[in-house]
Amino acid sequence: MADLQWTHQVELLGDRVVKRYTGDDPEAGEREWRALTLLAEHAPGLAPAPIAFDGSVTMSRLAGIPLRSVPGAGAYAGHLARAADRLHAAVPRDVLARLPERPWHLAPLAAQVREWCARWTPREPLADQAVREGARWLERWRPGEEGVTPVFGAGDGNLSNFLWDGIRVRIVDFEESGRSDRAFELSEISQHVSMWVDGEVDVLAHVELSPAEERRLAGCRRLHALMWLFLLSPEGPRNPPGTFRRQAERVLRCLGG
């Protein structure tokens, strides 16, 4: 999970971008290159065009402003949802079936969150309650395969990865990408801290899901909310003071629903 640590460096060279990977994942660049190549073929214009790969990825530079930098970003939620829908449907099923699963999909993420719950040191009543109730729910949750709609997932729901160019939203950052399922990906986007900390960006209001997908989404949202409780527990400088407590409140609301 790369949201709270630097995993790459970006160099802007005119109409090109060079992305160098500085994390400890040796496959990050390969995933990004594969994603850009697939999207250039199946959804041209949605993402940067691939130019060269030598461990680093050189890609075209997209025009646009990251939505996290746009005042009132919630007004663009429909555009964001349409971009996500296009991404998810872009890769043909036969090609998608041969792709590796994206990192930190449901099973490994659930295992990690269980471990974090077990290691939790009491901190303050609201967060402690969220961890206790979350751990109890997680031990009972059996998502199975109901509601699984295979999609290509970007793997990072950060609002900064969605660029508004004045007409449409386009997407960058695919180092965590791979085969996924629609409910899981929409959950990750909707629960990302950047989607609510500065004002709600309600992507889910602009998507249509089957009843089975809705049920899977509800569980995935609880899982991602719990994940963010642990990721935000250090109260770092990247979000406003009080974000951790707000996340604990979000977890309890999500579990109560």
Side-chain angles (χ1 to χ4, degrees), residues 27-45:
E27 298 178 0
E30 294 177 9
R31 286 193 296 267
E32 184 116 35
W33 179 254
R34 179 171 57 233
L36 296 182
T37 302
L38 286 168
L39 294 174
E41 179 179 359
H42 300 293

Side-chain angles (χ1 to χ4, degrees), residues 142-187:
R142 299 292 184 271
E145 295 300 309
E146 183 189 26
V148 171
T149 301
V151 299
F152 183 73
D156 188 347
N158 195 324
L159 189 59
S160 296
N161 293 335
F162 298 90
L163 308 183
W164 174 247
D165 67 3
I167 299 174
R168 59 180 173 171
V169 167
R170 297 197 277 181
I171 305 174
V172 299
D173 201 346
F174 295 94
E175 64 186 76
E176 301 289 334
S177 63
R179 176 170 46 83
S180 186
D181 73 84
R182 187 169 181 243
F184 187 86
E185 291 299 308
L186 289 173
S187 168

